[in-house]
Amino acid sequence: QLQLVESGGGLVQPGGSLRLSCVGSVFTLGDYAIGWFRQAPGREREGVSCISSSGHSTNYAPSVEGRFTISRDNAKNTVYLQMNSLKPEDTAVYYCAAVPLRFGLVPLLASAFDSWGQGTQVTVSS
């Protein structure tokens, strides 16, 4: 079973930046499409971004497009989420998730993903 561990969360001011990392437990993380999701108290878990196994295809939620960038380094079994121009409404626990998919993207829906990390807290506040 694939294990995922997120890191990089913290407290930042509005307009600041954070880079989240998601590290997989297997050498063949390149066989998995990866998604980032977030959940704030009282809210449903929502998709943020996803990336194909090769890194050639990406997708973003409209609320983060232009501010967040997803990328991956399969040699390091790591996927990143660069978060710029952060807003208070970005405050949430951020999760990475994986699904075996050698080619292409999956829908940015939690139900499409099989393996999940434990999450990392991102707080945007002045």
Side-chain angles (χ1 to χ4, degrees):
Q1 171 109 337
L2 177 65
Q3 294 284 335
L4 301 171
V5 179
E6 304 96 335
S7 63
L11 174 64
V12 295
Q13 293 184 325
S17 297
L18 286 173
R19 188 183 73 166
L20 306 183
S21 298
C22 174
V23 180
S25 63
V26 299
F27 183 77
T28 54
L29 192 63
D31 293 334
Y32 295 82
I34 302 294
W36 283 98
F37 295 79
R38 65 187 183 186
Q39 189 165 25
R43 302 282 190 88
E44 292 185 344
R45 187 169 298 189
E46 63 175 343
V48 176
S49 184
C50 61
I51 188 167
S52 63
S53 59
S54 68
H56 291 165
S57 299
T58 59
N59 196 19
Y60 299 90
S63 60
V64 307
E65 192 165 16
R67 299 188 297 121
F68 292 8
T69 303
I70 191 170
S71 62
R72 67 191 300 161
D73 185 343
N74 286 341
K76 297 181 179 179
N77 288 327
T78 303
V79 174
Y80 304 97
L81 185 68
Q82 179 66 46
M83 309 165 66
N84 298 325
S85 301
L86 283 162
K87 304 174 180 180
E89 51 263 45
D90 295 318
T91 296
V93 177
Y94 283 70
Y95 302 87
C96 66
V99 61
L101 188 65
R102 188 64 184 87
F103 301 102
L105 287 171
V106 296
L108 195 52
L109 298 171
S111 61
F113 292 82
D114 297 324
S115 301
W116 293 81
Q118 295 300 307
T120 185
Q121 177 71 48
V122 172
T123 302
V124 185
S125 177
S126 59

